[in-house]
């Protein structure tokens, strides 16, 4: 697999393009956190670790920009469960307290 995860802020999603297919994890910004709402990996990309690479890239971007995350998307939530090094980024559904 090759390609880099990119934040397409205009479309509120992270993207990973390989060849002519693009996988996405959509997000919203709420209460100072990034709320991951949906992940979609095209059938042609299935089984290649694309979803995991996309989740990792999105979480690393959140970390590098000092953002907390709310993993509403089941795929991202499961990824964080399997990779506890990202648990420190997670805040409750309502976002960080102020």
């Amino acid at each position: 697999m090759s390609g880099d995860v990119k934040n397409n802020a205009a479309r509120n999603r992270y993207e990973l393009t390989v060849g002519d297919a693009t996988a996405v994890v959509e997000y919203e910004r709420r209460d100072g956190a990034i709320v991951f709402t949906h992940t979609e990996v095209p059938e042609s990309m299935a089984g290649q670790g694309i979803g995991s690479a996309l989740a990792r890239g999105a979480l690393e971007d959140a970390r590098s920009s000092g953002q907390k995350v709310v993993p509403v998307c089941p795929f991202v939530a499961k990824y964080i469960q399997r990779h506890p090094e990202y648990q420190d980024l997670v805040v409750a559904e309502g976002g960080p307290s102020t």
Side-chain angles (χ1 to χ4, degrees), residues 27-71:
Y27 65 84
E28 299 172 6
R29 294 200 181 267
R30 281 190 229 153
D31 299 324
I34 300 171
V35 181
F36 292 113
T37 58
H38 178 70
T39 299
E40 189 168 329
V41 177
E43 185 78 26
S44 64
M45 301 172 92
Q48 301 175 44
I50 302 292
S52 292
L54 183 60
R56 181 175 50 254
L59 291 165
E60 286 296 329
D61 187 65
R63 183 183 305 283
S64 70
S65 63
Q67 297 288 302
K68 293 294 188 179
V69 303
V70 180

Side-chain angles (χ1 to χ4, degrees), residues 8-97:
N8 184 339
R11 297 185 74 182
N12 290 324
R13 67 188 201 175
Y14 286 90
E15 303 172 342
L16 178 55
T17 301
V18 178
D20 35 338
T22 301
V24 301
V25 62
E26 298 172 349
Y27 65 84
E28 299 172 6
R29 294 200 181 267
R30 281 190 229 153
D31 299 324
I34 300 171
V35 181
F36 292 113
T37 58
H38 178 70
T39 299
E40 189 168 329
V41 177
E43 185 78 26
S44 64
M45 301 172 92
Q48 301 175 44
I50 302 292
S52 292
L54 183 60
R56 181 175 50 254
L59 291 165
E60 286 296 329
D61 187 65
R63 183 183 305 283
S64 70
S65 63
Q67 297 288 302
K68 293 294 188 179
V69 303
V70 180
V72 172
C73 169
F75 183 85
V76 176
K78 189 72 160 177
Y79 184 88
I80 292 169
Q81 270 185 338
R82 289 190 322 261
H83 297 88
E85 64 270 25
Y86 295 111
Q87 190 64 43
D88 64 310
L89 298 176
V90 177
V91 293
E93 171 65 44
S97 59

